[in-house]
Amino acid sequence: MGLIVKKFGGTSVANTERIFAVTKIIQKTYIQGHKIVVIVSAQGNTTDDLIKMAYKINPNPSSREMDVLISSGEQVSMAILTMALHKIGIPAISLLGWQAGFETCDTYGNAKIRNLYPKRVQKELDKNNVVIIAGFQGINNHSDITTMGRGGSDTSAVAIGAALKADNCMIYTDVDGVYTVDPNIVPEAHKFDIIPFDTMINLSAAGAKVLNKRSVEIGKKFNTKINVLSSFRAGTGTVISEDIYSNRDFIKGIAVDNNLFSLSLTGPNNSEISEILELFFKKNILISDIFYSNFDDKLKIIFLISKNYDSKILNINNYIPKEFNIIKNEIISKISVVGALGNDEELLKSINKILISLKNIKIYNLFIKESTISVVVAKSDCEQTVKLIHKNLIANTKN
């Protein structure tokens, strides 16, 4: 029998009922004789609730203390799941990220794994324990708790799988695999049985929520098999593995990021934006994209930023260099077509033709980045745009 890593997201462990559903999934694998490492996320919306609590207490909280706070959600999940496994007679032990050997860089809120020493994990596996690890977290050189950013539990799971040379890294979510587009938006979306690492990396980078980009990059680097499945219903899910496609000339999928807002600034043509970028850096604010334009001797800059940073941005607005004016701050959606239709130029023409037919939709931007073509629209126009692009470019395409 082999070693299996299983990661369960927040919806999978959201309440007592879901916790016991997860124990059944683990029990089935345990009875088969496999060694098991489990990575868990915080329950439900716990992380978001903790962040809101922090900003009510202090609108400008310390990044270090924020990591101490939000890492607690995973600690609760791992302890409760371990207790549930004990109840059904399965030996298990819970470990925090640092106990499992996750060492990270010093960046709070978005730390990257520098080293991973899973000696304690291996020791517990040798005792035939199921090892439950708090995802999303590690420890830095100052012996401080750090967190790995949104989707960091995926990163924890694939990293520990790579370090232990696991036979499979199974990511359990509330969807039963990777689709050509979010099936909640387009019910007729196709599910992939297998998808190559590079395509999944591009989809994740463009905003697809099913997997964290870093986790797929680690999977590719160490050739660690990743399997996305549902914890709510049985199925084989989608396998992310080495590139198995010989023909790359077709559309592979659409990523939709509704969790963005645009911050638009104007300033003199000779303005330096280094001060603004430094503010973002100090606050650990991740910028999805930056657009520049010049008009009437004015420099216009548009930042696309995750809505998770709303409170931080409101604080930063007070420190924007005086030569810049804030034009607007609005919620938008980025729709990204990943793949190719003959070539990027042909794909761009096809998308332009589709967008022209959407007479009432305002297009904020259209750009090409790393084999991905993205269009930025108002959030209210997102669903209509996605459905039309999917219908015209993907619905009848073999994936």
Side-chain angles (χ1 to χ4, degrees), residues 15 18 23 26 39 65 67 119 122 132 136 140 148 154 198 211 219 245 247-248 264 284 318 337 345 387:
N15 51 45
R18 294 308 313 156
T23 62
I26 296 170
I39 303 290
E65 300 310 321
D67 274 9
K119 293 181 180 179
Q122 188 61 61
I132 315 294
F136 174 64
N140 65 19
M148 301 177 194
D154 293 343
D198 285 339
L211 271 177
Y245 292 122
N247 177 15
R248 306 177 69 86
S264 301
N284 292 323
N318 298 324
V337 180
E345 184 178 351
K387 285 182 175 179

Side-chain angles (χ1 to χ4, degrees), residues 116-136:
L116 180 49
Y117 302 106
K119 293 181 180 179
R120 175 73 185 277
V121 178
Q122 188 61 61
K123 181 179 178 181
E124 297 299 339
L125 289 172
D126 291 342
K127 295 178 182 177
N128 207 32
N129 282 323
V130 174
V131 182
I132 315 294
I133 302 172
F136 174 64

